Amino acid sequence: MTHRLFTPFLAVLLVAVSLFVTTVATAGAAHADGCFTWTRTLARGSSGADVTQLQIRVAGYPGSGGVLGIDGAFGPATAAAVTRFQQAYGLPANGVADSATFSKIYALQDNDCTPVNFSYAELNDCNTTWSGGAVSAATAKSNALRTMWKLQAMRHALGDAPITVTSGFRSRACNAAVGGAADSRHLYGDSADLAAGPHSLCKLAQAARNHGFAGILGPGYPGHDDHTHVDHRPSRFWSAPSCGI
C-alpha cells in the first residue's frame, strides 16, 4: 500500500523537477549571448563597458541629424536613442535598457557581434586582416561594426528590405586600385557604399540622415551618381543634390 501511494507522488515530483530544470535552462539561454551578455539594467548615470556595448547597438537611433557618442556614459542622448530603439521594436519605451531591450538586441546579433543582416565580410572585400588602412586593423574593424549597427537600424526603418553594401574598408592599396580619394573614409573602416535595390539611391541617402551618419554622399555629388556613401566622420558633411540633400 505504501508503495502504491508513493509511486504517483514520485511521478509528480519527477515531472515538477523536470519542468523546473527545463525552465531554468530556457531562462538562462534567453539571457546569455555568445557575443556579449548584459548583467544589469542600464539607465541615466550608468557607465562602463556594458554602456559602450549598448551605445554601439543603438547608435542608429540618435534622432534626425544626430550622432550618438560612444563613450561609455549613459546620458540623455543615450536614453533618447534607447527610447527610439524600443519604439522601433514595439517595446515599452522608457529609455531604460532592461531585460526586454537586451533580449531584442540578442535576437538581432550574431555571435561575432555583427547585426544579423550584415557581416564583416560585406564590409571588407579588400583583405582578411583589416590592415593597411589609415588606422590600426583593430580600429578599422571596430569602426565597421559601428557602421553595420547603424545600417541595421536604417534597414529596419525602411521596412527590413535588404540593403546592399558594395564597398567598405579599404587598405591604401585597395583604395588606390579603385581610384578612391587619398583621404577616403574607407581607409578608416567607418564607411559603406550602398547600391540601389529595393530602395533608390536617394531613398537611402535621405534615410541615412536619421541613423547617425555624419557623412552622406549621393546622386548629384561628383562620382556618386551610381551609389550612396555613408560614414561617421568627425563632423557632418552631407551632399546628394539630386536627392535634395
Side-chain angles (χ1 to χ4, degrees), residues 4-238:
R4 291 179 181 175
L5 289 174
F6 179 74
T7 300
F9 172 77
L10 181 59
V12 171
L13 179 61
L14 289 173
V15 170
V17 170
S18 176
L19 288 173
F20 174 76
V21 171
T22 300
T23 299
V24 170
T26 302
H31 296 286
D33 185 79
C35 165
F36 185 86
T37 299
W38 284 269
T39 59
R40 59 173 179 152
T41 296
L42 301 176
R44 290 195 190 194
S46 298
S47 62
D50 50 0
V51 175
T52 298
Q53 292 294 326
L54 173 66
Q55 290 172 327
I56 290 170
R57 289 153 180 79
V58 300
Y61 295 90
S64 180
V67 176
L68 180 65
I70 312 297
D71 57 7
F74 198 124
T78 300
V82 170
T83 298
R84 294 187 188 96
F85 174 85
Q86 292 166 331
Q87 291 170 334
Y89 286 100
L91 302 174
N94 56 12
V96 174
D98 53 15
S99 60
T101 304
F102 297 137
S103 290
K104 175 51 66 175
I105 292 175
Y106 296 150
L108 288 172
Q109 72 181 14
D110 289 325
N111 282 345
D112 64 355
C113 300
T114 59
V116 292
N117 297 116
F118 297 92
S119 69
Y120 283 119
E122 285 181 276
L123 271 289
N124 181 3
D125 60 4
C126 171
N127 59 41
T128 60
T129 62
W130 297 85
S131 62
V135 293
S136 71
T139 298
K141 192 172 184 180
S142 175
N143 286 342
L145 181 65
R146 298 181 185 193
T147 298
M148 282 185 271
W149 278 101
K150 292 180 181 184
L151 289 174
Q152 185 70 30
M154 184 169 145
R155 185 184 192 277
H156 185 60
L158 290 173
D160 286 313
I163 292 177
T164 301
V165 177
T166 59
S167 183
F169 167 75
R170 300 175 192 159
S171 67
R172 294 192 184 279
C174 289
N175 189 59
V178 298
D183 59 347
S184 170
R185 294 308 304 182
H186 290 280
L187 297 169
Y188 297 82
D190 69 2
S191 63
D193 289 347
L194 312 178
H199 310 295
S200 69
L201 295 178
C202 280
K203 184 70 173 178
L204 293 169
Q206 291 160 354
R209 296 175 296 181
N210 301 319
H211 297 289
F213 291 108
I216 304 172
L217 305 174
Y221 185 80
H224 289 73
D225 287 334
D226 61 351
H227 68 282
T228 289
H229 169 99
V230 294
D231 64 53
H232 41 98
R233 64 187 65 197
S235 58
R236 183 194 293 183
F237 183 77
W238 293 353

